[in-house]
Amino acid sequence: MQGVGFRPFVYRVATLYALTGFILNTSSGVLIEVQGSSSLLEKFCETLKRDAPPLARIEAIEESAIDSISEDAFIIGDSSAGTEVETLIPPDIALCSDCRRELLDPLNRRFRYPFINCTNCGPRYTIVERLPYDRPFTSMHGFTMCDECAEEYHDPLDRRFHAQPNACPVCGPVLSLLDSSGNPCSVTDAAAVTSALLKQGRIVALKGVGGFHLSVDARNEEAVRRLRERKGREAKPFAVMMRDMAVVRDCCELSDAECAALSSPEAPIVLLKKKTHDGLSPSVAPLHDRLGVMLPYAPLHILLFDNGIDVLVMTSANFSEEPIVNENDEALLWLKGIADAFLMHNRPIHLKCDDSVTIHLSRSLRQIRRSRGYVPAPVYLKQDGPVVLGTGGELKNTFALLKGTHALISQHIGDMKNYEAYRHFEHAAAHLQHLFQATPELLVHDLHPGYMTTGWALKQQLPLLGVQHHHAHLASCLAENKVEGQAIGLILDGTGYGTEGTIWGGEVLIGDADGVHRFASFEPMPLPGGDAAVEQPWRAALGYLSRSFSTIPDLPFMKGRTVEPVIELLQKRVSLYETSSCGRLFDAVAALCGLQGVVTYEGEAAIQLMLAAGGIMGSSSFRYAIEEHSGRWIMNVSPVIRDVVAAVENGVSVADISRRFHRTLVCCFTDVIKKASQATGIKRVALSGGVFQNALLFEALVFELEEAGYRVLTHSLVPSNDGGLSLGQAVIGRSYLAGRYQGVY
Ligand code: ZN
Ligand code: ZN
Ligand code: FE
């Protein structure tokens, strides 16, 4: 990887042991030729392995002996011209401890300078315009280094050697503060004034590393509520940034692993369990048991935690599922009426990138949204192969470019139905292909003809392959676990286009990237009005009731809803879509319990149902049945629905219904997997799909399956939701090019 300080590090080590030779980037990796006594050479190799800079990942070291030559120095060679250089652009990296110390040192020339960085930290991916990764080709090209900065930049022994965004108050980017109408305010210390504004309860639009955040004091209920009103975001939780680990410990339960994730160079948002008395405004994450927390990762952030502020709401400045706003004019245009002030700077963001979101479950940190800090670092594949591009899904879109053994997965793009997201996709797709010098031999898209990604793929002049949604989920899980051979895939999500015109989403697929057999699925249920039932779970509930009862029972959730026209649709069998979706089952049960009848964001009803259980699994399950119908096993849902209805009618609490419902799913899935294993002899189970973001279900199921002796493959490097789809698609594409693809059979 370039720009991670590996070459200067090697230079320093070689110089330390008085060795001679050179270091060079080549197409196959880094080449080091080093000459000296064998004991010193040994020490050199040891140090390389032990002390490599935090961002340099050594995949393998190969050594061979050569004849000695006459030379008297160790040099950093220029990359040999003409050869194809593997330039892995690093991700954007959180402020390092050295720079942090300088930032807060009144005697340092970069004291309180919000753009301080070095070879170990600072923006990377978001500022690269084109190759090679060199300052003139980054968004820093407009800033000419002063003598002092240039000296650091050119000195191999300096910790800013070849730090492309190197800058200081004399020569680098500057902050500016603008009022709500976009007029510049004349202030000497914009960060200090902003911090004071935040303390007063103002909403500030902050330009950060990958885009703008909207920020407000998270302890000021009135201010947080005002932000919700202005942003038109009713319920979706806001992420927060906390001053330091001590504040995190005060507000949240924190394990060692979570602590490590928070303070990692990637600095993601980690979903942490809230403490009951966290002292935060209740409107930050209403009804949720977890809070999305991150630590300050840009120097600017550190400067804001002044005036007694210790927790700030930091929500991506965008409109629902549009990409994060990245440029100054855009921000002024879009955030007018929301922000009371704008804290901007003149270092352009070339490629927008949201904050990454992670959660620690069942012994691993798991990506929910893989973006800043991780992108574009590759996910390593077991197999080499041709260049293939997987275009991803519709919601939570990412795309994946396979090159050699690297899967280069884009940042979170968002909802592709959105024009802004679509443009972002086009820009990022072209950019990633340029950065990695890779032109795909094949484009892989979802089978859904209405997906924007399918439409985009059809417009390109390249060979195409359409693959089934849940097949891609399974292939993604196998790929990130570097597993070859077949697995039993339990794929649970909201919506995926099936092979026979129905909507899938509760599937047991057996196979691998080459192809899958649909071994089992949920009993299909009618969804009146299709998408309308996704936004309004009460409609889904009526659909599920209509198939579970001969006469639809009268239940409290129907009060105040115009149910008659929907029941008529169901009776006349007009605009019905059949679905085996697990997400819809959650929605229906949530609605039956009187929870979310209408959702404001994807998965809201299912999340409310999970939260109602309070983290506790039921000890007994509802009735369910697994029956064989024409060669496929069907997990019957109607007995579950009937039991849930009986429970509602008997006044059983929502908490108890939810706990028993979760237990029912764990039992049913374990049973069906046992059947699949008996039928095939496979002892490997892959779990994929957005439903596995349900912590209660996920952890319990992993536990049960492991107890039963299965090897359970799960997602950690890419999201289990549709953000991980593109990886699976691309891997299936390689199987297709190799002539092995069979699809769903
Ligand atoms: Zn640094
Ligand atoms: Zn300077
Ligand atoms: Fe999906």
Side-chain angles (χ1 to χ4, degrees), residues 93-100 102 116-122 124 159-160:
I93 292 302
L95 183 72
C96 75
S97 53
D98 290 334
C99 287
R100 188 193 177 103
E102 290 184 10
I116 186 170
N117 66 85
C118 72
T119 17
N120 288 332
C121 75
R124 297 287 188 275
R159 64 184 200 85
R160 294 196 166 88

Side-chain angles (χ1 to χ4, degrees), residues 517-554:
H517 163 58
R518 193 184 184 199
F519 179 83
S521 61
F522 271 130
E523 172 188 6
M525 287 282 161
L527 268 192
D531 279 353
V534 176
E535 283 149 29
Q536 304 178 358
W538 65 269
R539 288 170 185 266
L542 287 177
Y544 279 62
L545 286 175
S546 76
R547 191 145 299 167
S548 310
F549 292 87
S550 44
T551 326
I552 294 182
D554 196 19

Side-chain angles (χ1 to χ4, degrees), residues 273 289-290 359-362 586 606-618 654-666 691-704:
K273 285 227 173 84
D289 62 343
R290 287 181 187 257
I359 187 169
H360 196 276
L361 294 176
S362 293
F586 265 92
I607 291 168
Q608 295 307 338
L609 184 61
M610 177 198 76
L611 290 171
I616 298 170
M617 263 285 159
V654 180
D656 279 344
I657 295 177
S658 173
R659 289 166 186 169
R660 284 189 71 184
F661 175 66
H662 280 84
R663 170 60 63 194
T664 309
L665 292 180
V666 171
V691 170
F692 288 111
Q693 282 168 210
N694 178 321
L696 183 61
L697 175 67
F698 177 75
E699 293 201 308
L701 190 62
V702 170
F703 179 82
E704 285 294 330

Side-chain angles (χ1 to χ4, degrees), residues 81-207:
T83 59
E84 191 204 348
V85 176
E86 185 81 4
T87 49
L88 283 187
I89 306 292
D92 303 286
I93 292 302
L95 183 72
C96 75
S97 53
D98 290 334
C99 287
R100 188 193 177 103
R101 199 161 35 244
E102 290 184 10
L103 176 73
L104 301 173
D105 173 6
L107 297 177
N108 192 280
R109 70 189 190 94
R110 291 188 179 88
F111 177 55
R112 289 183 67 79
Y113 181 58
F115 304 95
I116 186 170
N117 66 85
C118 72
T119 17
N120 288 332
C121 75
R124 297 287 188 275
Y125 179 57
T126 53
I127 61 165
V128 177
E129 290 175 357
R130 58 196 169 92
L131 287 181
Y133 177 54
D134 203 359
R135 187 168 174 116
F137 307 119
T138 68
S139 65
M140 287 297 292
H141 65 76
F143 302 95
T144 309
M145 275 184 279
C146 68
D147 290 349
E148 265 180 287
C149 285
E151 206 170 290
E152 296 165 338
Y153 181 88
H154 289 114
D155 176 4
L157 290 177
D158 193 279
R159 64 184 200 85
R160 294 196 166 88
F161 176 68
H162 282 198
Q164 302 307 345
N166 188 29
C168 78
V170 176
C171 65
V174 289
L175 286 180
S176 54
L177 185 65
L178 289 79
D179 67 14
S180 59
S181 338
N183 302 313
C185 312
S186 88
V187 292
T188 45
D189 190 335
V193 175
T194 303
S195 173
L197 286 175
L198 288 165
K199 187 64 198 172
Q200 290 163 24
R202 303 297 175 81
I203 298 167
V204 184
L206 300 170
K207 183 174 180 178

Side-chain angles (χ1 to χ4, degrees), residues 526 546-547 566-578:
S546 76
R547 191 145 299 167
V566 181
I567 293 176
E568 207 178 305
L569 282 186
L570 286 160
Q571 280 161 352
K572 291 188 178 159
R573 310 195 53 76
V574 188
S575 24
L576 295 189
Y577 297 83
E578 294 283 314

